[in-house]
Structure formats: C-alpha cells, structure tokens
C-alpha cells in the first residue's frame, strides 16, 4: 500500500525558515517524480514544486522560486521542502504527492494527508 | 504561470450529466496531453480521477470522462450520484518543469 506521510509543519514567524519532510513507502521511491502541492485555508490547490526521480529536473511555482528548495533522498525514501523567508501567504496545508512518471511532471496518483504550515507573528 | 480557469460552481440532479470546463492557453492545456482532474471531498486529500486528458485510473467509475479541444479541457460526470458532490480541480503540465492547477469547481448534486 502506497503511503506518503508529511511532517515538519507548524507555527513560524514571518521571515523564518521551516523544513518539511515526506516519508514514502509501498512503492519504489526512486522510480517516480515527486511534488509538493499546497492549499491555503478555504482555497484551491497550488502546485509548489516538483523533482524528477534523479533530481535532474526541478521546477518551482513563481510564488516560491528563490525561497523554497525541493530535494529528495532516494536511499531514505524521503522528499523534502526547505522553506526560507516565509510569508503570511505561505500559510497552507502542504501535501506531498507522487507522480505517475519518473522524469516528467504529469499527474499525481497518490497524496499524503498534508502538514499544516502557519506563518504568523 | 497563470492558473487555469474553471467555473466556480456546477450542479445537476441525480442521474443527470454535468460538464466542468478548464481553460488554459497553448502553453499548457493546448500544448500538452497532460491534463488531469482531481476530486476533493471536504477535509480529504485530492484523488486522481482522470489523467492524460481522458484516461481513468483503476477504481474510478466509468461515469467520469475527460476530453480536450484546443486550449479547453472538460470533465464530464454522467449519472450523477450524491457522492460525486465535491470540489474538482484540473491541472496541466505547462512546460519547463512547471505544473498549473485550475481554481477549482464546487459540484453540487441537487
């Protein structure tokens, strides 16, 4: 059974940093691209960032480019999101999602339950 | 990176069909056959319903179908059932390792 378990969320002050993690199991992690997708309270889904199986392709939404860094450790079956210079508008539930492709950013067939990030003073 | 355009709401009676549109540009929806649709019930994670424009994952009812014409993709739900009431989101690959989502459509079963 595919499982994606996010962690690392919490309350953080504007301008500070936070690192999210996603532990994957139930599939061959290094065969697939992975993504972070967020959802602000009461709002829609927003793709944040994606990374191919070997970290050779990485993409970011304009809203986070230069502030967030996605990475993965295939030996640990884990996905990460380093979030720096956090803003109030980054407040959201952050989902980890598995792609159906290894190298391309196509679609997300499994999702975690999300970890909540709240940016507030 | 502009969000895809979806109607905020759609509705239909049980047994009817409803179609939700998702309009983008030639740089996303129109340029690639990588359009997906997700269903999200309140408090739950999204669920993949359609991928690569018109393909259904195993376990998804064949009442759900997808299509695309030019820069607009569509999700059709036939034989509406109460459990279909949810938010629906489209997404598309937009080139240069970027994905964009639509703003979401709240489907109400009357």
């Amino acid at each position: 059974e595919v499982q994606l378990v996010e962690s690392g969320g919490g309350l953080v002050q504007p301008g500070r940093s936070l690192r999210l993690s996603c532990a994957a199991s139930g599939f061959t992690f290094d065969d697939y691209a992975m993504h972070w997708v967020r959802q602000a309270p009461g709002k829609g889904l927003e793709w944040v960032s994606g990374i191919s199986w070997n970290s050779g392709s990485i993409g970011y939404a304009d809203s986070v480019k230069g502030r967030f860094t996605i990475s993965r450790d295939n030996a640990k079956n884990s996905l990460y999101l380093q979030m720096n210079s956090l803003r109030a508008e980054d407040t959201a539930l952050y989902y980890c999602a598995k792609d159906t492709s290894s190298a391309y950013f196509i679609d997300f067939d499994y999702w975690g339950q999300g970890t909540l990030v709240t940016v507030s003073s | 990176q502009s969000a895809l355009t979806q109607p905020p709401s759609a509705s239909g009676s049980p047994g009817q069909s409803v179609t939700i549109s998702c309009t983008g540009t030639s740089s996303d929806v129109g340029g690639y056959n990588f359009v997906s649709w997700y269903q999200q019930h309140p408090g739950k994670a999204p669920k993949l319903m359609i991928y690569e424009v018109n393909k259904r994952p195993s376990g998804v009812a064949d009442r759900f179908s997808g299509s695309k014409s030019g820069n607009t993709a569509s999700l059709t739900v036939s034989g509406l059932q109460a459990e279909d009431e949810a938010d629906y989101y489209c997404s598309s690959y937009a080139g240069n390792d970027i994905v964009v989502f639509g703003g979401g459509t709240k489907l109400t079963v009357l």
Side-chain angles (χ1 to χ4, degrees), chain A residues 39 59-62 107-108, chain B residues 1 36 38 40 51 93 97-98:
Chain A
Q39 188 168 33
Y60 297 98
D62 284 345
D107 39 54
F108 319 126
Chain B
Q1 297 177 11
S36 306
Y38 301 87
Q40 187 180 35
Y51 66 101
Y93 181 63
D97 300 324
I98 298 295

Side-chain angles (χ1 to χ4, degrees), chain A residues 90-108:
Chain A
D90 295 319
T91 294
L93 186 65
Y94 283 73
Y95 291 105
C96 167
K98 170 189 168 293
D99 205 297
T100 58
S101 169
S102 60
Y104 301 101
F105 300 167
I106 297 178
D107 39 54
F108 319 126

Side-chain angles (χ1 to χ4, degrees), chain A:
Chain A
E1 177 193 7
V2 172
Q3 284 199 323
L4 299 170
V5 180
E6 304 92 338
S7 61
L11 175 63
V12 61
Q13 293 179 328
R16 304 297 291 264
S17 299
L18 208 57
R19 188 194 196 208
L20 305 184
S21 299
C22 171
S25 61
F27 65 103
T28 304
F29 184 71
D30 55 11
D31 275 353
Y32 296 96
M34 297 293 295
H35 302 266
W36 290 100
V37 177
R38 69 184 181 184
Q39 188 168 33
K43 302 298 184 182
L45 301 174
E46 180 188 16
W47 178 81
V48 173
S49 182
I51 185 169
S52 64
W53 70 280
N54 63 351
S55 305
S57 295
I58 289 177
Y60 297 98
D62 284 345
S63 57
V64 306
K65 195 175 297 182
R67 300 187 299 122
F68 290 11
T69 302
I70 192 172
S71 63
R72 64 189 295 160
D73 185 336
N74 288 341
K76 296 183 177 180
N77 289 348
S78 293
L79 177 71
Y80 306 101
L81 186 68
Q82 178 66 42
M83 304 186 295
N84 298 333
S85 304
L86 282 162
R87 306 168 179 166
E89 53 264 37
D90 295 319
T91 294
L93 186 65
Y94 283 73
Y95 291 105
C96 167
K98 170 189 168 293
D99 205 297
T100 58
S101 169
S102 60
Y104 301 101
F105 300 167
I106 297 178
D107 39 54
F108 319 126
D109 57 350
Y110 289 95
W111 298 65
Q113 289 304 304
T115 186
L116 182 62
V117 173
T118 303
V119 184
S120 175
S121 54

Side-chain angles (χ1 to χ4, degrees), chain B residues 35-87:
Chain B
V35 176
S36 306
W37 290 90
Y38 301 87
Q39 177 192 66
Q40 187 180 35
H41 287 109
K44 300 295 187 182
K47 176 185 176 183
L48 179 65
M49 303 301 284
I50 296 288
Y51 66 101
E52 293 178 27
V53 177
N54 55 15
K55 299 178 182 177
R56 252 187 334 271
S58 62
V60 172
D62 59 6
R63 301 183 295 103
F64 291 86
S65 61
S67 63
K68 189 184 85 167
S69 177
N71 296 337
T72 297
S74 298
L75 172 72
T76 298
V77 186
S78 305
L80 270 175
Q81 298 183 2
E83 66 251 35
D84 300 333
E85 185 162 295
D87 293 326

